[in-house]
Structure formats: structure tokens, C-alpha cells
């Protein structure tokens, strides 16, 4: 399968030359949004390439055709942004009209905070003279489009060249971080995923949580656990909790705005998600796992307790998304299982566990055994994946007989590692 990987390179020069170009591009997108919205009946349902061609004929003049709406550089990138914005708005609007209209009506926002893409040759040239990598960009300044040369961070360039060839990168996209700009290069990679018919495979079952960033277990097809790892980032967690407590204290003292602390929390949270996902994939790859299995988590309703704010900030879906992308790059599959009951039931089939009040990562089984809750949950996650794959490959009659002999298979929320071992024993005796 083909995957896309993006890498950013910092531009070391001043940021002011880009401001006019960004303003012109955003104004062009706002204008094109109205054009696309007016002609949406003709654009709706067309593939992206044909939709862009249709709008381009309206805004771009040639020697034989005069455009209804004149335009200039960056028109194709702006057209695609406008088509995506209008399509998303129309979809949200139709969903709102089909619902009970209890939520707020979608707003048609013409002002989009988007950044331009620079096409190779016309607007972007990579200059590598004297061993120093520079970027030549065509920017809008003083009422005209002019070429400007910018120095790139050589450390970022060398880091990219360890994995990719910059000459094979897609058109770079400008991004803004504070008062600095970067060029984001996209690379297309090929990854060969293992076939499902291959019976010699093991999975890396991952339980992500609040007490530990992640707990991973390598499980084979016969239910044997061959490796375990607790992933924690003590320094990052302490720093994050300190900033969180500072914000709580600031809110308790007065109704002040805490933009600075909010920004710090966001950056530390993103960094934790990045570190966690990288560590999970690195462990799975080092142990030779072919599939990474995680819970499909979703928190519904009102969250209570001392860690409710930490749960609201928990980037569980972001971690899963990053793990999936990294796993595909490493040639591993990614899968999710039903999350309910993985931590609630013991992996040995003894029933529900009783968690410690002062430390939820430790629990006591019904038979008196003391165990780590997250580690037990990771066993159940791996077992649920194998149960699903085993029943899917069985004929319907054989699967029904197995469910009758193994009562735990009747509900996904009660499936544990013990259930999977019982299923293997039933299939072996059949």
C-alpha cells in the first residue's frame, strides 16, 4: 500500500515577505468559495480532478476562452480548498436538516485560515549549490510576483535526507508557527503489509490510559504472551500535570484568561501523543509483531472524578491515528477491538476485578490474585482480536457450536484471554 509522510523544514529568514502572499491566497480561497457555492450543482458528485477543471475554466482565461472570474497564481490549490470547504458545509447542512435540529445550524465560513502550496518550477525551485540547500519561492510583493531566495535549516534537510530524497518530494506547503514559517514536504512511500492468510503472526496488544501512557503485550496465535512493556514518560507527565495545576489555581483565584498556559498544555499534550505512538510502534517492530491492536475508545456523557480534566485532554484518538500511520510505514497492520470490559474483567476468567482506590493501575482478582490492571487489559485486547479472526474464518455452524460450548463468546464485553484459550481447546477437540 502507498502511504504519505510529511516532513517540515524551517525557513531561517524573516517572516514578513510571506505575509502578502498568504493574504492574497486566503482572499482567493474566500472568493472561490462563493464561485464553487454558486455552481455547486455542476460540481457536486464530480471527481476532484474534474471538479477542479470545471472551476478552473470559470476563473482562468486562455487565448480561446475568456474566464467569468479572472485569477492568477495558486489557483489550483485555492480551487481545491474552496471545493473541499463548500462540500463539507453542504454535507453538514444536509445532516443538520435531516436531524431533529437540536444542535446549532452549520455556519458558512468564507474566511479560511489556509496556507498556500508552491508548485515546482512555477513557484518553487530547490537550490543546492555549494552544499547549502536553499529554496527559491515566487511571492507576491509590491504588487507583483517575484522570486525570493530563502535559507533552509540544514539540520532539518539532513534529517530528511536520511530517509527520503528531497528531489522526489511533492509540492511543499507553507506553514506558520508563531512568527516563523516552515515548508512541509510530502513523500510517497510503499509499504507491503503481511497477508491475513499468513498463520505465523503475532500481535502487539496495546492498552493506552492515564496512569501509564501505554502497556503493550506481544501475543502469539496460541495465546502465549512473549513480551511486555510499560511505556511511561515521567518527566513529560510531571511537566504536564504541573502546568495543569497552575491553570486550575489561576482559574480558582480569578476569572482570568489563561491563553499562555492553554498553549503550553496543548503543546505538551501533542508531544506526549507523539512520544507514545512512536514508542508503541518501535516496541512492536522490535518484537516482530505483524499487527498492532488497540481499543476503539470513546468517552460519552459527563466525566466525573479527580482526573476528569485529564480525561478531557486525553488524546486517545490522536494516538491511535498516529500509531496506524507509523505501523503501515513499518509494514504492520492496525486493528481495533471493542473496548468495553477489557479492564473490568480479569484475563484468567475469574470475573470482575476490584481496583485499588488510591491506584487504579493495580487491582485484585476474584480469586485473590494481585495484578496490574492495564497489563490484564492488554491481554484481553489481544485475545479479542484473535477471537474475532478465529470466528470469522470458521463456518457458521462451527462458530455457533463454539459459542454454545464457550459461554463467554456470547458477548464481546466479557471476552478475555481465558475465553480465547477455551475456544482453542474446543476447536482442537472437534
Amino acid at each position: 500500500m502507498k502511504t504519505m509522510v510529511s516532513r517540515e523544514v524551517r525557513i531561517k529568514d524573516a517572516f514578513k515577505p510571506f505575509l502578502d502572499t498568504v493574504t492574497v491566497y486566503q482572499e482567493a480561497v474566500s472568493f472561490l468559495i462563493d464561485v464553487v457555492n454558486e455552481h455547486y450543482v455542476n460540481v457536486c458528485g464530480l471527481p476532484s480532478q474534474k471538479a477542479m477543471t470545471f472551476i478552473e475554466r470559470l476563473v482562468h482565461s486562455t487565448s480561446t476562452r475568456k474566464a467569468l472570474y479572472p485569477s492568477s497564481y495558486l489557483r489550483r490549490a485555492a480551487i481545491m480548498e474552496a471545493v473541499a470547504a463548500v462540500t463539507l458545509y453542504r454535507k453538514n447542512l444536509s445532516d443538520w436538516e435531516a436531524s431533529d435540529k437540536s444542535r446549532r445550524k452549520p455556519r458558512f465560513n468564507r474566511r479560511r485560515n489556509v496556507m498556500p502550496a508552491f508548485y515546482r518550477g512555477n513557484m518553487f525551485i530547490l537550490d543546492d549549490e555549494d552544499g547549502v540547500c536553499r529554496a527559491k519561492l515566487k511571492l507576491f510583493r509590491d504588487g507583483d510576483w517575484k522570486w525570493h531566495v530563502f535559507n533552509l535549516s540544514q539540520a532539518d534537510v539532513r534529517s530528511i535526507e536520511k530517509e527520503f530524497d528531497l528531489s522526489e518530494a511533492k509540492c511543499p506547503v507553507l506553514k506558520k508557527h508563531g512568527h516563523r514559517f516552515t515548508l512541509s514536504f510530502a513523500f510517497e512511500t510503499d509499504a507491503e503489509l503481511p497477508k491475513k492468510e499468513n498463520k505465523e503472526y503475532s500481535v502487539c496488544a496495546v492498552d493506552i490510559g492515564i496512569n501509564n501512557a501505554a502497556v503493550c503485550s506481544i501475543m502469539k496465535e496460541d495465546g502465549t504472551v512473549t513480551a511486555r512493556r510499560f511505556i511511561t514518560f515521567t518527566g513529560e507527565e510531571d511537566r504536564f500535570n504541573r502546568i495543569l495545576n497552575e491553570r486550575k489555581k489561576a482559574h480558582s483565584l480569578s476569572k482570568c484568561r489563561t491563553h499562555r498556559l492553554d498553549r503550553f498544555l496543548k503543546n505538551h499534550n501533542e508531544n506526549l501523543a507523539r512520544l507514545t505512538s512512536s514508542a508503541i510502534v518501535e516496541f512492536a517492530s522490535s518484537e516482530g509483531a505483524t499487527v498492532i491492536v488497540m481499543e476503539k475508545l470513546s468517552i460519552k456523557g459527563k466525566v466525573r472524578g479527580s482526573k476528569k480534566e485529564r480525561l478531557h485532554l486525553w488524546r486517545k484518538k490522536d494516538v491511535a491515528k498516529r500509531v496506524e500511520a507509523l505501523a503501515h510505514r513499518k509494514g504492520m497492520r492496525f486493528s481495533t477491538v471493542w473496548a468495553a470490559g477489557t479492564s473490568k474483567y480479569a484475563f484468567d476468567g475469574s470475573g470482575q476485578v476490584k481496583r485499588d482506590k488510591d491506584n487504579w493501575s493495580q487491582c485484585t482478582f476474584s480469586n485473590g490474585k494481585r495484578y496490574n490492571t492495564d497489563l490484564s487489559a492488554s491481554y484481553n485486547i489481544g485475545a479479542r482480536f484473535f477471537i474475532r479472526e478465529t470466528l470469522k474464518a470458521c463456518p457458521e455452524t462451527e462458530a455457533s457450536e463454539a459459542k454454545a460450548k464457550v459461554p463467554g463468546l456470547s458477548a464481546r464485553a466479557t471476552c478475555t484471554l481465558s475465553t480465547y484459550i477455551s475456544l482453542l481447546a474446543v476447536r482442537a477437540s472437534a
Side-chain angles (χ1 to χ4, degrees):
M1 66 174 297
K2 294 186 180 297
T3 59
M4 298 299 295
V5 182
S6 63
R7 293 288 184 270
E8 292 188 12
V9 178
R10 290 170 292 172
I11 298 175
K12 300 177 67 175
D13 300 272
F15 68 94
K16 289 185 178 179
F18 296 99
L19 298 181
D20 292 342
T21 305
V22 173
T23 302
V24 168
Y25 179 72
Q26 292 180 351
E27 290 176 352
V29 172
S30 300
F31 168 74
L32 286 168
I33 285 176
D34 289 335
V35 176
V36 174
N37 191 41
E38 183 179 349
H39 299 273
Y40 187 72
V41 177
N42 300 320
V43 175
C44 179
L46 291 177
S48 58
Q49 185 65 32
K50 291 186 178 181
M52 185 188 68
T53 304
F54 177 82
I55 300 298
E56 190 175 24
R57 288 176 178 175
L58 297 176
V59 301
H60 182 59
S61 300
T62 63
S63 58
T64 59
R65 183 186 69 250
K66 186 177 181 180
L68 294 177
Y69 315 92
S71 69
S72 60
Y73 288 106
L74 300 172
R75 65 180 182 276
R76 291 184 177 176
I79 288 172
M80 297 310 297
E81 290 283 358
V83 171
V86 175
T87 303
L88 180 61
Y89 165 73
R90 293 294 187 107
K91 182 181 181 301
N92 292 338
L93 183 62
S94 62
D95 293 343
W96 178 81
E97 291 175 347
S99 65
D100 56 357
K101 299 184 180 181
S102 59
R103 56 195 177 98
R104 185 181 299 177
K105 182 180 179 180
R107 179 169 167 262
F108 186 51
N109 185 16
R110 294 176 63 256
R111 305 299 298 177
R112 316 290 293 189
N113 186 20
V114 292
M115 304 298 285
F118 294 94
Y119 295 100
R120 284 186 176 272
N122 293 332
M123 302 197 68
F124 168 75
I125 297 176
L126 194 63
D127 186 13
D128 192 5
E129 294 182 1
D130 303 328
V132 179
C133 195
R134 300 181 181 88
K136 296 176 67 176
L137 302 174
K138 184 174 284 188
L139 303 177
F140 185 79
R141 293 201 72 185
D142 302 328
D144 194 11
W145 293 90
K146 301 177 182 179
W147 285 100
H148 297 263
V149 180
F150 297 95
N151 294 317
L152 302 178
S153 172
Q154 301 304 306
D156 294 343
V157 172
R158 288 192 297 268
S159 176
I160 292 176
E161 289 178 341
K162 291 179 181 179
E163 299 181 81
F164 309 101
D165 186 1
L166 266 176
S167 61
E168 298 179 356
K170 305 293 183 181
C171 301
V173 178
L174 190 68
K175 290 189 176 182
K176 188 174 184 292
H177 300 280
H179 294 291
R180 291 293 175 184
F181 286 89
T182 63
L183 287 176
S184 179
F185 294 90
F187 301 89
E188 188 177 67
T189 61
D190 292 326
E192 185 177 354
L193 301 183
K195 296 182 179 179
K196 291 185 178 180
E197 290 78 11
N198 182 16
K199 298 299 181 181
E200 298 296 330
Y201 67 91
S202 58
V203 304
C204 176
V206 183
D207 177 75
I208 59 174
I210 302 297
N211 299 302
N212 295 295
V215 178
C216 307
S217 301
I218 303 297
M219 185 179 295
K220 289 188 175 180
E221 199 177 5
D222 59 355
T224 304
V225 178
T226 60
R228 309 167 185 82
R229 183 177 177 184
F230 291 83
I231 298 175
T232 56
F233 302 99
T234 308
E236 294 292 332
E237 288 284 353
D238 290 345
R239 213 170 289 120
F240 182 86
N241 291 329
R242 178 177 58 80
I243 299 173
L244 188 62
N245 291 331
E246 286 182 10
R247 192 177 72 166
K248 288 180 180 179
K249 185 177 180 181
H251 286 171
S252 64
L253 294 175
S254 65
K255 296 181 179 180
C256 61
R257 296 183 179 272
T258 54
H259 297 304
R260 174 174 167 272
L261 294 176
D262 291 341
R263 186 175 71 252
F264 287 172
L265 279 175
K266 179 184 176 183
N267 293 339
H268 279 292
N269 218 7
E270 288 181 356
N271 189 41
L272 272 172
R274 192 179 301 111
L275 293 174
T276 303
S277 57
S278 299
I280 290 171
V281 176
E282 182 181 354
F283 171 72
S285 178
S286 64
E287 295 295 334
T290 54
V291 184
I292 297 179
V293 186
M294 299 180 69
E295 298 170 295
K296 192 172 183 180
L297 294 168
S298 62
I299 298 177
K300 297 181 180 180
K302 191 172 182 179
V303 180
R304 302 180 184 276
S306 59
K307 292 188 176 182
K308 61 179 180 181
E309 192 169 7
R310 185 70 180 87
L311 283 170
H312 280 302
L313 296 172
W314 187 22
R315 301 175 65 91
K316 52 191 180 302
K317 293 183 179 180
D318 185 27
V319 172
K321 185 178 179 180
R322 291 176 183 273
V323 168
E324 182 178 7
L326 292 173
H328 288 167
R329 283 192 59 201
K330 294 283 188 178
M332 292 181 286
R333 292 187 177 275
F334 178 82
S335 183
T336 57
V337 296
W338 185 255
T342 53
S343 302
K344 183 178 181 180
Y345 295 95
F347 74 93
D348 61 356
S350 58
Q352 297 186 18
V353 303
K354 184 178 180 180
R355 291 192 174 190
D356 295 358
K357 292 183 178 180
D358 55 342
N359 185 9
W360 272 41
S361 62
Q362 298 295 323
C363 67
T364 304
F365 292 177
S366 299
N367 54 15
K369 184 192 295 185
R370 295 279 298 167
Y371 215 78
N372 185 278
T373 313
D374 299 333
L375 187 61
S376 174
S378 68
Y379 296 164
N380 295 335
I381 291 169
R384 289 186 183 187
F385 170 79
F386 281 121
I387 289 172
R388 184 181 64 195
E389 296 299 313
T390 302
L391 294 179
K392 193 185 298 182
C394 291
E396 188 64 30
T397 55
E398 187 177 345
S400 300
E401 292 178 1
K403 290 179 180 180
K405 295 180 179 178
V406 184
L409 294 175
S410 57
R412 287 180 295 176
T414 59
C415 290
T416 61
L417 179 59
S418 175
T419 309
Y420 176 58
I421 294 175
S422 301
L423 175 61
L424 292 179
V426 168
R427 292 199 67 196
S429 61

